[in-house]
Amino acid sequence: MALPMLPGNSVNRNLGKEKFHKSQHFDYSNGVAMMVGSEKPGIGGELLLGQSARPKYSLFPKGEGSNAPAWVAFDKQVLCFDAYFQEAVPQRREEKYRVRKCKIYFYLEDDTIQVVEPELKNSGIPQGTLIRRHRIPLPAPKDDCFYNVHHFNINQEIVFYNRTFMITDCDPFTRNFLIKMGVRLIPPASTPADPYATHRQEMEENMKPLRPYERIDTLKQFLEHDRKVLRFYCYWNDTESMFGDSRELILHYFLADDTMEIYEVVLPNSGRDAVPKFLHRGKLPKHAPIPKRQPGEITDRTVLNVFGPVGQGGRYILDSLKTGAVEEEFYKDCDLTIGGVINVWGRRMLICDCDNFTKEYYRSKYGIEDFTPVSYQASFPPKPARQVPPYTGFGSEEDSLCSCQGLLPKPPQKDFKKLMEKDRQGLVSNVLRFVAKMLTDSPVDKERVFIIYFYLSDDTIAVFEPPQRNSGVIGGKFLKRGQVKKPGQELFKSEMSEYFTAQDLYVGARLDLNNQPFQLLDADEFTFSYMEQHADEFPKANIGTIISKVKSISEEEQKKVKQFFTMSDPSSTGFIPYESFRTLLAEMDVQLSEHEIITLGRNYSLREQPEVDLSLVLAVAQDQLKKKNFENFTDMIRAFTHEDRDRSGHLSSKEAQIIFKAFRLPLSDDLQRALLEKFQDESEKIDYHAFLSNINWRENPAPAVLPDVTVKFDADWRGDAADPAVKTINYLLFLEDVFGSATNINDS
């Protein structure tokens, strides 16, 4: 019974169809109309009656894993088959056919096939890729389809473009892959022998003589040891001959061909011409000099008999026993040892030493471990000391000494390395500053205060005197910068004079500067810190050396020290004033200098950094800028703004110091450091607008300061104006470090 025409039921099959194209079945080929697509589908790609769907590529069974396409899953995976084919040879009498072996590669990613024939030596036929990689169609009448993985098996024939290939075997990967595919593999077959190839092999074997020539092959030695040279240092004593002397030579032994060459070491001012080589490169005979040989007497092979015409057609027999051979012995690498003597064409040369490569070569090849060099030079007497005339008094001693060392006088050389290491670096001046007073009986000179500068870059000393009001003495430069000789030395002498060094300056030291005695009373903070950081150079600031001195006191002195601390600290707080601590150390029998006492006090003190008055610092800075008439504040604002890439109004202290140097800001290093610390924030950056506005003495003048305050900040700036940095001493730590315990102090 027919179904009713309900909604959704229709006999029209084109409903919902999107493709209505018609496949091309007819075309012209070389002007002839022919049918080209009998197996093509109908309209819209639908199969016609009697047609079946054919896969375009190989269909692989689906297993566990990802559902990736074949061109991804089988990328760079190739099946390899061993095959051969027979090629007829109708134009030759020696052979009727040839058996040519080849490799068939099947690429799983796109079903392409490549056939390659391995190249054989002297085959006479072009070999290599026989069929380039592409998809190969099946033989007719199924030439519209292509080979896939299911067409391949072992011990079966396969046709590529009318050429039949016999597959004999495959590699292990191909075998495992086909087994996993479910293909039943046939046992492998053998490749038939090629009659002509067998005939050629027999001919080549017959061409080989029963007694082959002696093969002299040096290529292997050349390839293994090319550019490898042994170097020996030799000595030749030629003093027995007339006008002869001893010579030093360098021997090079080339491992590539067992040759050697010798160079002579020509010393400066030896009176000898520098020849290119002492011995040209070649093999060195052991028993030289050797007699001269006739041409043909020394050959690689010896001939036993010669008969027939000379040249082409002549015959000869090689002498395998080498009856008339002339043998010559040449030096090898095994003959060259340290301490051995070699004969170089009648000259006896002693091998004294070798380089590191030569030592490693003999250690690895011959197992030699002893490479002690041979000393061949006699000990020369020490050179007599050069007599230097005494100092004349004109110029410096160094300059006068340089005029005696050569015909062309040269200026004395300075210690450039020390200059680069100890010269000014940013705000670190590398200058030691001490406060000193003059040792004299004059009541006026006793009150004078001097600042002694010691420059670490060149060990020079300069002395300045700060001006004091109503003293009657004009301050300023007292001693020009230069090296100062130590007292008590003779003036006109041949030896160089001794000068004051940094180790001679410390608090409490007595200096005689040009017959004027000074007593060092104090130093600035940088001097104390520098000497403590370089304690190995300054014994007076070495805390370990000072403590070892204090430890050397007797037990009675130790009890007195503990009793003194008990009386000075009745409330047992653990702290005493610095003056009491200094008095105790000065009265001890260990003879501590004032600098050593200060170093101990700084090490065991509670140091309080006094707060610097910002208004006073700004007043001093403006006073110095005003004296130097410095007014480039607008240009400095532009420079700071140019360096401020973020336009944040802040720059680091290092960048600010660079700008100060560029504009030559006339402020001392200590004053610059104090100003930068006052205007720094938590990130160590300064507000340059506020900084330049405060030091601008034109727009924002600060109150005037007294002249003595300005001088003190300029000449002896230490961060604190009057009060010392060390006030209180923690004597408990001192007792623990010196005597080992501070708990039984009350029991003493």
Side-chain angles (χ1 to χ4, degrees), residues 226-391:
D226 187 26
R227 298 175 180 266
K228 295 182 180 179
V229 183
L230 306 181
R231 173 177 291 184
F232 297 91
Y233 302 98
C234 305
Y235 171 74
W236 176 34
N237 188 5
D238 192 29
T239 56
E240 296 180 359
S241 61
M242 184 179 296
F243 307 112
D245 55 358
S246 58
R247 303 191 191 182
E248 298 180 7
L249 305 116
I250 297 177
L251 186 147
H252 291 160
Y253 184 88
F254 298 87
L255 295 173
D257 53 358
D258 296 330
T259 57
M260 61 178 66
E261 64 181 6
I262 300 177
Y263 289 88
E264 182 180 1
V265 180
V266 181
L267 301 177
N269 301 325
S270 63
R272 292 188 176 275
D273 294 333
V275 295
K277 291 182 182 179
F278 185 83
L279 177 67
H280 284 282
R281 180 175 177 179
K283 290 189 175 183
L284 182 63
K286 291 184 178 181
H287 309 290
I290 57 178
K292 295 182 179 180
R293 304 292 182 180
Q294 297 296 329
E297 189 173 358
I298 300 177
T299 57
D300 295 335
R301 300 179 178 89
T302 58
V303 179
L304 182 62
N305 195 3
V306 178
F307 57 94
V310 178
Q312 187 176 3
R315 299 183 181 182
Y316 59 89
I317 300 175
L318 294 180
D319 184 9
S320 60
L321 300 179
K322 297 183 179 181
T323 306
V326 179
E327 296 183 359
E328 288 184 347
E329 295 185 10
F330 298 96
Y331 280 104
K332 301 287 186 177
D333 55 349
C334 58
D335 301 323
L336 305 178
T337 57
I338 296 178
V341 178
I342 60 175
N343 179 17
V344 182
W345 297 101
R347 299 166 179 83
R348 295 174 59 84
M349 293 189 181
L350 175 65
I351 301 178
C352 302
D353 200 0
C354 60
D355 61 355
N356 294 329
F357 172 77
T358 306
K359 295 177 182 178
E360 187 63 29
Y361 174 80
Y362 278 90
R363 186 181 291 109
S364 60
K365 184 175 181 180
Y366 297 104
I368 300 176
E369 296 292 341
D370 186 12
F371 297 98
T372 305
V374 178
S375 59
Y376 57 89
Q377 293 181 347
S379 59
F380 294 99
K383 292 184 179 180
R386 179 180 296 180
Q387 298 294 333
V388 180
Y391 176 54

Side-chain angles (χ1 to χ4, degrees), residues 528-593:
F528 285 118
S529 301
Y530 182 86
M531 296 176 72
E532 291 170 1
Q533 293 173 4
H534 301 79
D536 53 342
E537 301 178 11
F538 300 93
K540 300 296 182 181
N542 193 333
I543 188 65
T545 305
I546 302 172
I547 291 178
S548 62
K549 287 184 179 181
V550 180
K551 286 182 178 180
S552 62
I553 62 177
S554 60
E555 296 182 359
E556 296 180 359
E557 290 288 335
Q558 295 180 12
K559 293 181 179 180
K560 292 181 180 180
V561 170
K562 295 178 181 180
Q563 291 177 1
F564 177 83
F565 287 139
T566 305
M567 296 173 59
S568 301
D569 185 19
S571 58
S572 300
T573 59
F575 301 97
I576 62 172
Y578 170 71
E579 294 298 332
S580 302
F581 183 73
R582 178 186 175 280
T583 304
L584 172 65
L585 295 179
E587 294 177 354
M588 294 175 64
D589 297 337
V590 292
Q591 298 180 355
L592 295 177
S593 63

Side-chain angles (χ1 to χ4, degrees), residues 54 113 135-148 151-152 157-165:
R54 298 181 180 180
I113 300 174
R135 297 193 69 188
I136 300 178
L138 294 173
K142 299 182 179 180
D143 52 351
D144 56 338
C145 298
F146 299 93
Y147 280 101
N148 54 40
H151 293 93
F152 289 87
E157 294 182 351
I158 191 168
V159 180
F160 296 152
Y161 298 115
N162 296 328
R163 176 169 287 180
T164 303
F165 294 86

Side-chain angles (χ1 to χ4, degrees), residues 516-690:
Q516 181 61 54
F518 288 91
Q519 182 76 29
L520 302 185
L521 304 179
D522 199 0
D524 62 352
E525 178 63 26
F526 173 79
T527 303
F528 285 118
S529 301
Y530 182 86
M531 296 176 72
E532 291 170 1
Q533 293 173 4
H534 301 79
D536 53 342
E537 301 178 11
F538 300 93
K540 300 296 182 181
N542 193 333
I543 188 65
T545 305
I546 302 172
I547 291 178
S548 62
K549 287 184 179 181
V550 180
K551 286 182 178 180
S552 62
I553 62 177
S554 60
E555 296 182 359
E556 296 180 359
E557 290 288 335
Q558 295 180 12
K559 293 181 179 180
K560 292 181 180 180
V561 170
K562 295 178 181 180
Q563 291 177 1
F564 177 83
F565 287 139
T566 305
M567 296 173 59
S568 301
D569 185 19
S571 58
S572 300
T573 59
F575 301 97
I576 62 172
Y578 170 71
E579 294 298 332
S580 302
F581 183 73
R582 178 186 175 280
T583 304
L584 172 65
L585 295 179
E587 294 177 354
M588 294 175 64
D589 297 337
V590 292
Q591 298 180 355
L592 295 177
S593 63
E594 187 67 25
H595 196 107
E596 292 174 331
I597 296 175
I598 295 176
T599 303
L600 280 176
R602 289 168 56 86
N603 189 47
Y604 297 102
S605 64
L606 294 177
R607 305 178 64 180
E608 299 177 359
Q609 295 294 338
E611 189 68 23
V612 182
D613 189 2
L614 179 60
S615 59
L616 180 61
V617 177
L618 290 175
V620 173
Q622 288 191 9
D623 185 72
Q624 293 185 8
L625 295 176
K626 187 174 182 181
K627 287 181 179 179
K628 299 294 183 179
N629 198 19
F630 183 83
E631 298 180 354
N632 295 335
F633 300 105
T634 305
D635 296 337
M636 290 185 69
I637 281 286
R638 294 174 182 172
F640 275 102
T641 307
H642 177 73
E643 294 296 332
D644 187 10
R645 307 298 182 183
D646 301 334
R647 296 296 185 269
S648 61
H650 294 77
L651 279 181
S652 63
S653 301
K654 187 176 181 180
E655 294 175 333
Q657 294 172 14
I658 296 175
I659 297 176
F660 293 163
K661 285 188 177 181
F663 284 90
R664 297 182 179 179
L665 190 67
L667 295 178
S668 61
D669 298 339
D670 295 331
L671 192 54
Q672 288 185 25
R673 187 184 298 108
L675 286 172
L676 291 176
E677 289 178 356
K678 286 298 180 181
F679 287 92
Q680 276 184 356
D681 55 5
E682 297 179 354
S683 59
E684 296 184 356
K685 292 186 177 182
I686 65 168
D687 185 359
Y688 54 85
H689 292 288

